[in-house]
């Protein structure tokens, strides 16, 4: 099949979270199964600096954003070590910026125009290249308008005559909500602004556009697919998911073994596999303790948490227990970037427990690998978790995950109950009540 995979971030071009890992790995995995996949993403500043060759392929984009005609170009590249073509939608005014979606904790105030441009740019590029996709697969709100355009403005477009559409929800908390007057910028019929289609509590909702117009919906774990049918997890869209339940699939994410297997990772102190895990992990732990300025003591349990500094990831639960935990002879390393409130909480924690707790308040991919390899126990007490990749990376590194049993965490970590231990199936520790 010919598959178009549109995403707002993909490794190695741009990354803020797990979507980038999936968008960098899934197209390669599909291609290896004999499909022909083309990846589409915006050409952010970081994509230009990713060290991957980008070639201007001479396509002029002219996209109407309300009354304004905005021009752009298309750059072609490849996912490393693959034949997957990557097309980067280039519009420097929109995308040549420090952040992907915002800076300093605030969203860019023209995100509506940026992702209209992206959605229409993807469609125009497919037409210009003469592609005839069987599947157009969008991801999250940034691609939400694509199915809406295909089923309305492009309903009779021969380029998409055979195309089915799919939207995957990686995190329902991000919906792409905009001022109702922004509807005029989309070029879509104003009549679509109603509660059954693009309107969500008086706002224009890009994710809802995708969920309403796509043929099939998926999310990234079976448990999250069930959870979002309920008001507790549905973020106001649970009624829509219940309506479309017959078309909704929960498919667990996998991990990219080339990137996240300790035998392959160049940045960790010692590569290891199941045969060499004992020595390899001990060296990785010693190196991590050194990097974090902690005592090099092999016998001390080393806990770690890596993730966006967002309430979702359970930082408030960590804040509640961290002092009590660190009163014991344990060590804690945290890597996170995001909300200033959690930065301050973590800095205070490290100050109160010198030599036991170190925090790195930055985005550092190599450090994330070193932590997964060097830690003994990985904390992931998420309040909700569509899939979660970090706990899968822990499992791949012989690092024991301690997770809240929700969404993909419930689907991937088997609690160390006496029974699971005796059956040899236990893989970590889980808890349910977020207390
Ligand atoms: P989410 O997509 O909700 O952020 P996931 O667990 O699915 O959560 O994916 C998180 C990804 O982002 C992992 O690859 C993790 O290593 C990475 N990551 C998160 N925070 C950081 C950080 N501060 N530095 C480096 N990598 C990070």
């Amino acid at each position: 099949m010919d598959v178009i995979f549109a995403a707002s971030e993909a490794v190695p071009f741009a990354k803020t979270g797990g979507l980038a890992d999936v968008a960098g790995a899934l197209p390669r995995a599909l291609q290896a199964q004999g499909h022909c996949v083309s990846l589409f993403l915006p050409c952010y500043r970081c994509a230009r600096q990713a060290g991957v060759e980008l070639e201007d392929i001479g396509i002029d984009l002219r996209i109407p954003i309300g009354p304004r005609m905005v021009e752009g170009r298309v750059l072609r590249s490849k996912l490393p070590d693959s034949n997957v073509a990557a097309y980067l939608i280039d519009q420097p005014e929109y995308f040549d910026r420090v952040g992907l979606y915002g800076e300093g904790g605030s969203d860019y105030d023209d995100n509506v125009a940026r992702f209209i441009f992206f959605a229409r740019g993807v469609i125009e590029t497919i037409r210009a290249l003469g592609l005839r996709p069987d599947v157009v697969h969008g991801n999250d709100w940034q691609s939400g308008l694509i199915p809406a355009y295909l089923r309305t403005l492009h309903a009779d477009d021969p380029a998409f005559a055979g195309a089915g559409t799919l939207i995957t929800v990686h995190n329902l908390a991000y919906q792409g909500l905009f001022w109702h007057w922004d509807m005029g910028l989309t070029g879509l019929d104003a009549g679509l602004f109603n509660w059954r289609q693009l309107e969500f509590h008086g706002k224009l909702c890009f994710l809802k556009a995708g969920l309403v117009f796509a043929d099939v919906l998926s999310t990234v774990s079976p448990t999250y697919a069930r959870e979002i049918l309920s008001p507790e997890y549905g973020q106001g869209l649970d009624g829509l998911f219940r309506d479309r339940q017959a078309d909704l699939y929960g498919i667990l994410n996998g991990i990219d073994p080339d990137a996240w297997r300790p035998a392959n990772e160049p940045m960790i102190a010692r590569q290891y596999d199941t045969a060499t895990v004992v020595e390899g992990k001990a060296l990785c732990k010693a190196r991590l303790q050194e990097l974090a300025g902690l005592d090099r003591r092999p016998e001390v349990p080393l806990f770690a948490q890596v993730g966006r500094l967002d309430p979702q990831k359970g930082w408030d639960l960590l804040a509640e227990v961290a002092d009590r935990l660190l009163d014991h002879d344990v060590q804690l390393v945290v890597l996170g970037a995001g909300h200033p409130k959690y930065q301050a909480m973590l800095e205070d924690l490290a100050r109160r427990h010198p030599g036991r707790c170190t925090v790195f308040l930055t985005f550092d991919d190599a450090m994330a690998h070193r932590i997964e390899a060097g830690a003994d126990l990985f904390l992931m007490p998420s309040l909700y978790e569509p899939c979660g990749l970090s706990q899968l990376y822990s499992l791949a590194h012989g690092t024991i995950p301690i997770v809240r049993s929700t969404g993909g965490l419930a689907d991937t970590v088997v609690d160390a109950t006496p029974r699971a231990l005796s059956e040899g199936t236990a893989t970590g520790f889980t808890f349910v009540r977020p207390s």
Side-chain angles (χ1 to χ4, degrees):
M1 284 200 292
D2 281 325
V3 180
I4 302 294
F5 193 96
S8 56
E9 48 186 272
V11 167
F13 302 103
K15 170 168 174 174
T16 66
L19 169 61
D21 292 1
V22 174
L26 182 56
R28 288 196 350 246
L30 290 172
Q31 187 104 344
Q33 292 190 0
H35 302 290
C36 177
V37 189
S38 307
L39 171 68
F40 285 74
L41 77 161
C43 190
Y44 306 105
R45 184 176 301 170
C46 56
R48 292 182 176 278
Q49 297 166 347
V52 184
E53 207 174 308
L54 305 175
E55 177 200 358
D56 188 319
I57 50 172
I59 295 176
D60 281 315
L61 296 173
R62 287 172 55 76
I63 308 285
I65 306 288
R68 194 177 153 211
M69 193 56 82
V70 180
E71 296 183 356
R73 306 281 290 174
V74 181
L75 307 182
R76 184 168 54 199
S77 184
K78 264 187 185 178
L79 281 178
D81 306 319
S82 80
N83 285 323
V84 176
Y87 296 98
L88 290 92
I89 305 296
D90 185 28
Q91 210 303 322
E93 187 190 327
Y94 288 154
F95 298 123
D96 185 11
R97 299 184 187 179
V98 172
L100 270 52
Y101 317 121
E103 278 170 51
S106 309
D107 288 344
Y108 291 127
D109 56 14
D110 59 350
N111 273 347
V112 70
R114 298 172 78 227
F115 290 99
I116 290 171
F117 190 90
F118 175 61
R120 301 194 79 165
V122 169
I123 292 172
E124 291 311 321
T125 306
I126 294 168
R127 286 158 50 89
L129 291 168
L131 302 177
R132 290 281 180 276
D134 299 300
V135 176
V136 178
H137 182 178
N139 293 276
D140 281 348
W141 71 263
Q142 293 89 344
S143 309
L145 289 184
I146 295 174
Y149 286 125
L150 294 185
R151 293 294 173 249
T152 57
L153 302 184
H154 293 274
D156 301 319
D157 188 334
F160 300 101
T165 54
L166 158 65
I167 283 283
T168 299
V169 176
H170 296 259
N171 192 336
L172 195 47
Y174 302 95
Q175 302 183 346
L177 292 175
F178 302 103
W179 193 35
H180 60 280
W181 285 114
D182 286 337
M183 187 68 197
L185 300 180
T186 63
L188 291 164
D189 188 318
L192 297 179
F193 193 77
N194 69 78
W195 71 274
R196 287 187 168 277
Q197 294 180 301
L198 272 55
E199 188 252 355
F200 183 70
H201 297 285
K203 296 205 161 159
L204 167 61
C205 180
F206 278 22
L207 181 63
K208 189 170 173 182
L211 299 176
V212 167
F213 280 100
D215 298 315
V216 173
L217 315 178
S218 76
T219 185
V220 286
S221 70
T223 296
Y224 194 61
R226 281 193 303 278
E227 287 173 340
I228 59 177
L229 303 174
S230 70
E232 189 188 349
Y233 288 95
Q235 305 270 357
L237 289 166
D238 44 292
L240 196 162
F241 286 116
R242 287 195 298 276
D243 253 14
R244 298 220 53 193
Q245 196 173 351
D247 303 316
L248 172 64
Y249 297 84
I251 303 172
L252 201 60
N253 278 337
I255 69 174
D256 180 352
D258 293 334
W260 288 93
R261 183 184 290 165
N264 295 345
E265 291 166 291
M267 65 290 269
I268 64 176
R270 169 70 59 85
Q271 286 70 40
Y272 60 91
D273 58 20
T274 45
T276 54
V277 58
V278 175
E279 316 88 89
K281 223 172 145 47
L283 277 168
C284 290
K285 177 172 175 177
R287 176 64 61 80
L288 177 59
Q289 287 171 322
E290 193 183 321
L291 283 172
L294 303 170
D295 292 341
R296 279 182 66 159
R297 293 173 54 209
E299 76 285 5
V300 179
L302 175 49
F303 290 73
Q305 185 162 348
V306 176
R308 290 179 294 110
L309 297 182
D310 181 279
Q312 174 198 345
K313 299 295 177 183
W315 298 107
D316 295 296
L317 297 179
L318 178 71
E320 272 182 51
V321 300
D323 283 315
R324 265 182 293 154
L325 176 67
L326 289 163
D327 281 344
H328 297 272
D329 190 17
V330 303
Q331 297 175 338
L332 172 66
V333 173
V334 175
L335 171 64
H339 208 297
K341 171 176 122 180
Y342 296 120
Q343 293 192 21
M345 179 277 279
L346 291 165
E347 273 169 340
D348 281 353
L349 187 69
R351 220 172 284 128
R352 285 199 300 279
H353 301 277
R356 286 209 170 153
C357 172
T358 299
V359 300
F360 299 99
L361 299 176
T362 169
F363 192 94
D364 181 342
D365 182 59
M367 184 58 90
H369 287 261
R370 292 183 188 120
I371 290 176
E372 290 283 11
D376 294 305
L377 299 126
F378 191 90
L379 301 171
M380 203 147 163
S382 304
L383 302 184
Y384 70 93
E385 193 59 74
C387 177
L389 294 172
S390 291
Q391 84 283 10
L392 297 176
Y393 299 147
S394 300
L395 293 172
H397 287 82
T399 303
I400 301 169
I402 301 178
V403 307
R404 177 158 182 258
S405 189
T406 181
L409 298 172
D411 292 332
T412 56
V413 179
V414 180
D415 192 23
T417 58
R419 184 168 171 183
L421 285 169
S422 70
E423 289 173 351
T425 53
T427 58
F429 298 101
T430 74
F431 66 97
V432 177
R433 224 156 53 84
S435 67

